[in-house]
């Protein structure tokens, strides 16, 4: 059984799912938030998945792939997504140029309605980051090249916030938490991080940390 799930926490993260330990499974699961240790009941929902055809243009060529989407996903023309068939090692970041639902072309559709996605290959991806700040969790994003590696335990700058990466949810659904593991951006579903408030002494990066601090120094 699952011993770790991502669900919302009524205390510290009512909107964004964050990692929880499952204390009791079954019909009425009880979980404990890894951020604030609040114990609460939850619903662990089963999402449907769909294999959707994607036609990707790259320069002069175009090729066909499939991607796995879930019933939770609504897509729009101009959205950036990562095409991932869940089997091969290769994934393709694209910009959606058209969405087909049967005979119709839609500007916006739920994954369940889509028959074909048309897209243009792009090099950069937007990585979602859930940042635990004090008592709240905030959704942030960072745009990076698809091959850019995020390393668990390391610090990153997102806009003006300095964060430390704690866990990385990978596209295949697994959750990595081992310090030092590096994962390329294009394979990441979500990063879980905490805000870095002050430098930790003895890490040998004092000057750099102070520089990154901004106001108040
Ligand atoms: Zn919590």
């Amino acid at each position: 059984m699952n011993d770790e799930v991502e669900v919302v926490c009524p205390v510290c993260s009512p909107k964004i799912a964050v990692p929880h330990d499952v204390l009791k499974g079954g019909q009425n699961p009880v979980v404990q938030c890894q951020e604030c240790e609040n114990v609460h009941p939850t619903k662990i929902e089963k999402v449907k998945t769909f294999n959707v055809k994607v036609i990707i243009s790259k320069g002069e060529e175009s090729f066909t792939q499939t991607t796995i989407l879930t019933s939770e996903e609504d897509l729009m023309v101009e959205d950036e997504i990562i095409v991932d068939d869940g089997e091969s090692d290769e994934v393709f970041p694209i910009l959606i140029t058209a969405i087909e639902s049967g005979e119709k072309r839609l500007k916006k559709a739920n994954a369940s309605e889509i028959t074909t996605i048309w897209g243009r290959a792009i090099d950069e991806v937007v990585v979602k980051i859930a940042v635990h700040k004090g008592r709240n969790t905030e959704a942030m994003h960072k745009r990076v090249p698809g091959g850019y590696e995020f390393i668990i335990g390391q610090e990153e700058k997102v806009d003006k916030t300095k964060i430390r990466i704690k866990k990385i949810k990978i596209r295949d659904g697994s959750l990595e938490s081992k310090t030092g593991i590096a994962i390329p951006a294009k394979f990441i579903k979500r990063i879980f991080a905490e805000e870095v408030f002050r430098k930790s002494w003895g890490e040998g990066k004092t000057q750099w940390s102070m520089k990154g601090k901004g106001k108040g120094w």
Side-chain angles (χ1 to χ4, degrees):
M1 262 306 282
N2 279 343
D3 54 353
E4 196 169 61
V5 289
E6 287 103 65
V7 292
V8 296
C9 170
V11 173
C12 74
S13 187
K15 290 204 178 122
I16 309 159
V18 290
H20 282 68
D21 294 314
V22 178
L23 301 182
K24 178 176 155 300
Q27 290 276 67
N28 299 297
V30 176
V31 294
Q32 181 169 34
C33 178
Q34 291 182 2
E35 296 292 351
C36 72
E37 301 190 339
N38 174 46
V39 173
H40 60 96
T42 191
K43 279 200 177 118
I44 300 168
E45 290 188 16
K46 277 231 175 293
V47 291
K48 273 194 191 166
T49 60
F50 304 94
N51 286 301
V52 177
K53 185 171 144 191
V54 188
I55 298 166
I56 303 171
S57 66
K58 190 174 188 179
E60 303 278 280
E61 292 173 65
S62 69
F63 53 98
T64 303
Q65 288 283 319
T66 54
T67 195
I68 297 173
L69 297 176
T70 70
S71 47
E72 290 175 321
E73 288 175 282
D74 289 315
L75 299 185
M76 277 177 81
V77 173
E78 305 264 292
D79 273 354
E80 292 175 11
I81 61 164
I82 291 175
V83 174
D84 181 359
D85 65 9
E87 284 168 16
S88 55
D89 287 336
E90 222 175 342
V91 298
F92 305 91
I94 63 160
L95 178 84
I96 297 176
T97 51
I99 297 171
E100 272 179 19
S101 175
E103 303 281 287
K104 282 182 291 185
R105 288 221 164 188
L106 302 175
K107 274 256 178 282
K108 186 182 174 180
N110 182 266
S112 61
E113 309 172 272
I114 300 174
T115 39
T116 308
I117 294 169
W118 298 74
R120 178 164 56 76
I122 52 174
D123 294 326
E124 291 200 309
V125 297
V126 175
V127 176
K128 293 180 187 167
I129 308 172
V131 182
H132 195 65
K133 291 185 167 186
R135 312 189 65 169
N136 300 301
T137 301
E138 197 176 298
M140 304 189 82
H141 301 93
K142 185 164 178 160
R143 176 179 285 274
V144 293
Y148 181 88
E149 289 186 336
F150 288 92
I151 300 168
I152 297 170
Q154 281 209 352
E155 292 180 1
E156 282 281 336
K157 238 178 143 191
V158 184
D159 301 325
K160 282 181 180 158
T161 305
K162 206 205 278 180
I163 62 160
R164 183 179 295 111
I165 298 172
K166 289 161 66 185
K167 296 184 179 220
I168 298 180
K169 174 102 174 185
I170 303 176
R171 302 198 62 79
D172 68 8
S174 60
L175 192 63
E176 287 286 351
S177 56
K178 212 167 150 211
T179 302
I181 286 190
I183 298 166
K186 61 184 175 180
F187 295 117
I188 295 175
K189 196 151 188 194
R190 193 184 288 277
I191 290 174
F192 297 99
E194 62 190 353
E195 186 172 19
V196 179
F197 289 105
R198 64 177 87 89
K199 62 183 178 278
S200 27
W201 295 99
E203 260 188 78
K205 311 189 226 176
T206 311
Q207 273 199 317
W208 186 79
S209 301
M210 283 177 74
K211 223 187 281 170
K213 246 355 235 189
K215 273 181 282 183
W217 287 91

